[in-house]
Amino acid sequence: EVQLVESGGGLVQAGGSLRLSCTASGFTFDDYAIGWFRQAPGKEREGVSCINNSGGNTYYVASLKGRFTISSDNAQNTVYLQMNSLKPEDTAVYYCAALPPTTARWCLRGRYAEVWGRGTLVTASS
């Protein structure tokens, strides 16, 4: 079965950190990019960060670069999102998706995503 499973969400005070995990199964991990996306209550989904697993290129939405770091452990078929200095406005459900390797523009839009996880809730309290 082709699937992505997110984990690591939770409740954290503003200024704290969390590390999200996205574990893939059922497809060739190295052939894909993995993107992180988030959707806050009442808002549209937005791209957060992407990594091309074959080449290691990483992309970030400009407003989050410096606080969030994406990385990949290809041996474990897992992509991580380290989130530091969390703010209340980072509160959202965070999803990962598998996409064909692509440019930052399309990856961060989730264009051509083939598989989505069910999401993990991150709450940063003030």
Side-chain angles (χ1 to χ4, degrees), residues 14-100:
S17 298
L18 283 175
R19 189 178 78 158
L20 305 183
S21 300
C22 172
T23 301
S25 61
F27 62 94
T28 305
F29 187 74
D30 292 1
D31 289 347
Y32 285 82
I34 300 293
W36 282 101
F37 304 85
R38 67 185 185 182
Q39 187 165 19
K43 296 187 176 181
E44 293 186 356
R45 185 188 69 205
E46 63 175 348
V48 173
S49 183
C50 288
I51 185 167
N52 282 327
N53 288 327
S54 59
N57 294 341
T58 58
Y59 311 120
Y60 298 89
V61 64
S63 61
L64 298 176
K65 192 173 184 179
R67 293 196 298 123
F68 288 15
T69 304
I70 193 169
S71 62
S72 179
D73 183 342
N74 288 26
Q76 299 295 324
N77 285 1
T78 299
V79 169
Y80 303 98
L81 184 69
Q82 178 68 42
M83 306 186 296
N84 298 328
S85 302
L86 283 162
K87 304 175 181 180
E89 51 264 43
D90 294 319
T91 295
V93 177
Y94 284 70
Y95 301 90
C96 63
L99 314 90

